[in-house]
Amino acid sequence: MDRPELPLQQLHAFVVLAEELHFGHAAARLGIAQPPLSQQIRRLEDKVGHALFHRAPGRVTLTPAGRELLPAARRALTDLTDGLAAARAVGSGRTGTLRIGFAASLALTVLPGLLRTFRHRFPGVRLDIHEMTTAPQIAALHDRTIDIGLLREPPADQPELGFRTVLSEPFVAVLPAAHPLAAQRTVRLAQLADSPFVLLPREVGPQLRDRITGLCAEAGFTPRTAQHAVEWQTVCALVETGLGVSLAPASIRRIRLKGVAFRRIEPGDARTRVAVAWRENDPNPLVAHLLAAVGQDRPDRV
Amino acid sequence: MDRPELPLQQLHAFVVLAEELHFGHAAARLGIAQPPLSQQIRRLEDKVGHALFHRAPGRVTLTPAGRELLPAARRALTDLTDGLAAARAVGSGRTGTLRIGFAASLALTVLPGLLRTFRHRFPGVRLDIHEMTTAPQIAALHDRTIDIGLLREPPADQPELGFRTVLSEPFVAVLPAAHPLAAQRTVRLAQLADSPFVLLPREVGPQLRDRITGLCAEAGFTPRTAQHAVEWQTVCALVETGLGVSLAPASIRRIRLKGVAFRRIEPGDARTRVAVAWRENDPNPLVAHLLAAVGQDRPDRV
DNA sequence: ACGGTCCATACGCCTAGGGATATCAGACCA
DNA sequence: TGGTCTGATATCCCTAGGCGTATGGACCGT
């Protein structure tokens, strides 16, 4: 691609003159005097190397060369004006695409409200939503596959990423309805020591997993993992079948299953945090916009 | 269509930098030092109103706005370079379209050779050939519907048109083979005084028609028109059926029909001219090229 | 801590190009 | 033949933008 060394004004003058076919009128439309317009056209013709207009007494006509150039000139000008407008729209964050990764469980809590407020404020922005667990979200942020992550237990060792807590919620015990402890309103953690656990595999979210096993450790035992499941939906389903118990963020109570009971735990100060994550120094204005929306969208705490 | 006030160099710099993602390399490819490139980009970003590149330590990246602008910039640049090249090609007469009108009878004589030499010399030029009689050709030249006419008996009262004789040929008598005069090698015009004539209607070519009736007048009679026909092919066919006789340019001898005889006439100095016609002041270089080709293409005289 | 890399900034220089006004030249018309 | 319309030319002015060299400042490796 070589660089055609033309001032765009000349092209614009050319297009206008091609429409008016009258130097005086075209100059008026361009807001300049007639002699400068003659110069512009002349310079352009010099650069092309051929006449673009045929000046007959009384009428100005396009030459074949001019007719050939006209559509290209028009296209170039509209391409540029449109491109500039689009770039400005994207630059100001009025339009564009924001790619968001989110943990499946958040589809029940923070995600809907967040999307609603954002879409309301930026209707021109397309949101690409990808369900993914915590660890892949971190990787995808680094990959620039997503721009925003919505995850649990933000990891600490991520200097290039920013995190902001959106929600902090307690843990609950997840029990089969038939489990003896389901009769209590509150379950002490130590009481779960002997039950098999259904847990998330460590790979999908090391922080949350470690958090849970840490809670158990504080209560004096190491949970025995009977089964792994990647989604909380599945965890609850497995608990319902009696395969074991679990510890989960309170918001998963929204998953209603007849055979599952959720109970507060003792000690009750253990909380898990949901955070938005983004690349520090991400120039995308939509990221800033979303973070601002997060600041104002304070969804119902569970 | 508003005028985006951007030097194209900045766009070019932008595109190259977007490909290289490295100021030093891009500057080298552009053949300038690095600081000027920084300036170009900065100026462009100022005009857009947003950053186009994200300068992170160690890596340069396109911002979303930049990603949005890039394809438009590329399109605009290629449109312009292509458009300029096309305009230059057309301006120099290497490519383009030439619209030619021609009298049907000339398809048998001057037209093929002319087209052949022209096409050989300007293979990039498209030739649009339209069969039409003389009067419509004159109108089409004024309309700018055609650029070149190939016609008989160029009219004199056309100040805006140029004419150049391509071929000058005698008239011949067209007789049914059974006609008594077909027995002679030469026919005196006066001998045709009593035969009905098949002639072209005056509207399609007043000059030629007037020429023929003029010849008859000189021989002392007014031809009695038995039938009109627009094409010489038809004239011959009608003569063959015995409907009458005719006078025609010698080149129509190429139309071979069993029942038709062509005979020289007395006096034999009457000739009809075939000419190319064009608009004087036509800026189209192809017209000049074709006229030059006519000068050299001297087809076989009939 | 110290060069090396990479981009930005700061001058200074220069030209191209855009603008205006005044004037000229040809065509056309009354 | 003189007025009008239209486009081209001639000057002059101004500034935007392009380039270079020199320098600063952040970051990264050893």
Side-chain angles (χ1 to χ4, degrees):
Chain A
M1 169 165 349
D2 245 356
R3 151 186 53 156
E5 182 74 67
L6 309 168
L8 285 187
Q9 303 198 47
Q10 290 179 7
L11 274 191
H12 188 218
F14 167 65
V15 170
V16 170
L17 180 57
E19 285 165 4
E20 299 287 337
L21 292 178
H22 186 290
F23 279 74
H25 300 168
R29 226 179 91 183
L30 289 165
I32 61 176
Q34 169 262 318
L37 175 59
S38 285
Q39 286 184 24
Q40 305 261 38
I41 300 299
R42 194 161 148 22
R43 270 195 275 266
L44 182 56
E45 286 176 329
D46 284 350
K47 242 162 240 151
V48 172
H50 302 278
L52 299 172
F53 292 95
H54 180 56
R55 286 86 155 169
R59 71 161 164 276
V60 175
T61 333
L62 274 171
T63 62
R67 247 191 309 278
E68 192 70 26
L69 184 59
L70 183 57
R74 263 200 247 270
R75 261 203 311 277
L77 286 179
T78 54
D79 273 353
L80 284 186
T81 48
D82 293 357
L84 281 184
R88 291 202 180 102
V90 169
S92 68
R94 288 195 306 279
T95 60
T97 301
L98 193 60
R99 298 161 303 172
I100 301 177
F102 72 100
S105 65
L106 303 183
L108 300 170
T109 57
V110 294
L111 189 66
L114 184 58
L115 295 188
R116 203 178 317 119
T117 50
F118 189 84
R119 255 200 263 271
H120 178 254
R121 222 143 10 122
F122 301 96
V125 175
R126 175 177 152 190
L127 296 174
D128 277 1
I129 312 288
H130 303 277
E131 196 235 294
M132 54 209 304
T133 52
T134 297
Q137 283 189 46
I138 300 295
L141 281 167
H142 283 122
D143 283 2
R144 301 170 176 265
T145 308
I146 61 173
D147 305 305
I148 290 287
L150 270 177
L151 41 76
R152 287 189 181 280
E153 296 300 312
D157 57 340
Q158 295 290 340
E160 297 188 17
L161 302 184
F163 297 93
R164 185 183 299 169
T165 300
V166 176
L167 178 67
S168 170
E169 53 181 343
F171 282 94
V172 293
V174 186
L175 308 170
H179 195 284
L181 294 174
Q184 309 176 200
R185 292 197 51 196
T186 304
V187 174
R188 274 180 301 110
L189 268 184
Q191 294 180 297
L192 297 174
D194 295 329
S195 302
F197 269 71
V198 180
L199 289 176
L200 271 59
R202 192 163 185 284
E203 313 86 67
V204 307
Q207 291 79 16
L208 181 58
R209 167 64 177 254
D210 292 353
R211 195 73 211 292
I212 292 175
T213 55
L215 288 177
C216 296
E218 283 174 21
F221 69 98
T222 301
R224 181 164 50 88
T225 307
Q227 184 70 36
H228 279 158
V230 174
E231 295 183 20
W232 287 111
Q233 289 272 9
T234 319
V235 169
C236 292
L238 294 176
V239 168
E240 184 179 32
T241 67
L243 232 144
V245 301
S246 190
L247 281 176
S251 62
I252 65 151
R253 286 193 203 178
R254 295 260 181 115
I255 303 171
R256 307 221 164 270
L257 285 176
K258 290 152 296 181
V260 176
F262 302 100
R263 293 294 177 264
R264 277 209 290 270
I265 61 170
E266 281 293 330
D269 55 351
R271 300 188 141 254
T272 172
R273 287 181 301 143
V274 173
V276 284
W278 68 96
R279 283 183 295 280
E280 299 269 22
N281 296 331
D282 190 326
N284 192 336
L286 295 178
V287 170
H289 285 163
L290 185 124
L291 293 179
V294 163
Q296 289 168 8
D297 173 74
R298 302 266 79 186
D300 39 6
R301 316 264 168 145
V302 180
Chain B
M1 170 171 342
D2 246 357
R3 151 186 54 155
E5 182 75 67
L6 306 170
L8 285 187
Q9 304 197 50
Q10 291 179 7
L11 273 191
H12 188 218
F14 167 64
V15 170
V16 170
L17 180 57
E19 284 166 2
E20 298 288 336
L21 292 178
H22 186 288
F23 278 74
H25 300 168
R29 229 180 88 185
L30 289 165
I32 61 176
Q34 168 262 316
L37 175 60
S38 285
Q39 287 183 24
Q40 304 260 40
I41 300 299
R42 194 161 149 19
R43 269 194 275 266
L44 182 56
E45 288 177 327
D46 285 351
K47 244 163 237 149
V48 172
H50 303 278
L52 298 172
F53 292 96
H54 181 56
R55 286 86 154 167
R59 73 162 163 275
V60 175
T61 333
L62 274 171
T63 62
R67 246 192 308 279
E68 193 70 24
L69 183 58
L70 182 57
R74 261 200 248 268
R75 262 202 312 276
L77 286 179
T78 54
D79 274 352
L80 283 185
T81 48
D82 294 355
L84 280 183
R88 291 203 180 100
V90 169
S92 69
R94 289 195 306 279
T95 61
T97 300
L98 193 61
R99 297 160 304 171
I100 302 177
F102 72 101
S105 65
L106 303 182
L108 299 171
T109 58
V110 296
L111 189 65
L114 184 58
L115 295 188
R116 203 178 317 116
T117 50
F118 189 84
R119 258 201 262 270
H120 179 253
R121 212 127 37 104
F122 302 96
V125 174
R126 177 179 151 184
L127 297 174
D128 277 2
I129 313 288
H130 304 276
E131 196 235 294
M132 53 209 303
T133 53
T134 298
Q137 282 188 46
I138 301 295
L141 281 168
H142 284 121
D143 284 2
R144 302 169 177 265
T145 307
I146 61 174
D147 305 306
I148 291 285
L150 271 177
L151 40 79
R152 288 191 181 277
E153 295 300 314
D157 56 339
Q158 296 290 340
E160 296 187 19
L161 302 184
F163 295 94
R164 184 183 300 170
T165 300
V166 176
L167 179 67
S168 169
E169 55 180 341
F171 282 93
V172 292
V174 187
L175 308 169
H179 195 283
L181 293 174
Q184 309 176 202
R185 292 197 52 195
T186 303
V187 173
R188 273 182 300 110
L189 268 185
Q191 294 180 296
L192 296 174
D194 296 329
S195 302
F197 270 70
V198 179
L199 290 176
L200 272 59
R202 190 162 186 285
E203 311 87 69
V204 308
Q207 290 78 19
L208 181 58
R209 168 64 178 255
D210 293 353
R211 197 71 211 290
I212 292 174
T213 55
L215 288 177
C216 296
E218 283 173 23
F221 69 99
T222 302
R224 182 164 48 87
T225 308
Q227 182 72 35
H228 280 159
V230 174
E231 295 185 19
W232 288 110
Q233 289 274 5
T234 318
V235 169
C236 294
L238 293 176
V239 167
E240 184 179 33
T241 66
L243 232 143
V245 301
S246 190
L247 283 175
S251 62
I252 66 148
R253 287 197 204 176
R254 297 260 180 115
I255 301 172
R256 306 223 164 268
L257 285 176
K258 290 153 294 181
V260 176
F262 301 98
R263 292 294 178 263
R264 276 210 289 270
I265 61 172
E266 282 293 332
D269 54 352
R271 301 190 141 254
T272 172
R273 288 180 300 142
V274 172
V276 283
W278 68 96
R279 283 183 294 279
E280 298 270 22
N281 296 328
D282 191 326
N284 193 337
L286 295 178
V287 170
H289 286 163
L290 185 123
L291 293 178
V294 163
Q296 290 169 8
D297 172 72
R298 301 268 79 185
D300 40 5
R301 314 265 166 150
V302 181

